[in-house]
Amino acid sequence: MVRELFDEYEYFHMNMTLDEYQTEAMNTAVYPGNLLYPLLGLQGEVGEFSEKVKKYFRDTTGEMELEDPVIEMSAELRADLAKEAGDILWYLTALANDLGYDLEEIAAMNLKKLRDRKERGVIHGSGDER
């Protein structure tokens, strides 16, 4: 069903790995190759995502129970948020690339850290080194 919505090129890219995404995304990068540009871009895109969510809650509070706000969002708003999430992913990818890491490495490092915290019973704590 999903495949019918996309041409062959688009469908291939829907099934890519994080490393494949990183390679493709960095082919579109046009900046001096330092951390500042993608860091500021990431902050801007997170802000745009947050603004859309803020306005959704502002405009719908009282109109619905908001037991599950995502399910109650319009398909159009969810699509807009997905596009913003894509922009966030691009800037995060650029940061990883500038630091010399692959996204798959970062994902694996993060899961290892989270599994360790869960096993030690400190996943609900605070602080980077818990």
Side-chain angles (χ1 to χ4, degrees):
M1 179 177 161
V2 171
R3 186 176 197 143
E4 296 167 359
L5 300 174
F6 301 93
D7 66 31
E8 190 173 321
Y9 177 83
E10 290 173 321
Y11 186 75
F12 165 77
H13 285 85
M14 287 178 55
N15 295 294
M16 71 176 69
T17 66
L18 288 173
D19 284 347
E20 290 170 335
Y21 172 83
Q22 187 166 0
T23 298
E24 290 282 330
M26 291 302 89
N27 285 333
T28 67
V30 182
Y31 68 94
N34 61 49
L35 291 173
L36 186 59
Y37 177 82
L39 177 62
L40 295 175
L42 178 63
Q43 292 172 330
E45 294 299 337
V46 169
E48 288 181 32
F49 188 99
S50 299
E51 275 293 307
K52 290 179 186 302
V53 172
K54 177 195 78 172
K55 288 177 181 176
Y56 169 74
F57 279 98
R58 177 197 67 197
D59 296 344
T60 59
T61 301
E63 295 178 20
M64 53 183 73
E65 294 183 27
L66 297 176
E67 290 180 21
D68 189 341
V70 175
I71 288 176
E72 296 178 28
M73 284 180 182
S74 69
E76 180 181 1
L77 177 56
R78 286 195 320 273
D80 286 347
L81 290 172
K83 289 175 187 175
E84 294 299 342
D87 293 339
I88 290 166
L89 179 59
W90 190 94
Y91 282 108
L92 181 61
T93 301
L95 284 170
N97 197 68
D98 287 355
L99 291 169
Y101 283 91
D102 295 331
L103 284 176
E104 289 183 3
E105 283 180 279
I106 290 174
M109 290 165 45
N110 182 256
L111 288 175
K112 181 180 178 183
K113 175 185 75 175
L114 294 173
R115 264 190 254 113
D116 178 64
R117 286 180 180 174
K118 185 175 181 181
E119 288 170 6
R120 293 183 295 115
V122 294
I123 201 156
H124 292 290
S126 61
D128 287 343
E129 300 302 323
R130 59 179 184 264

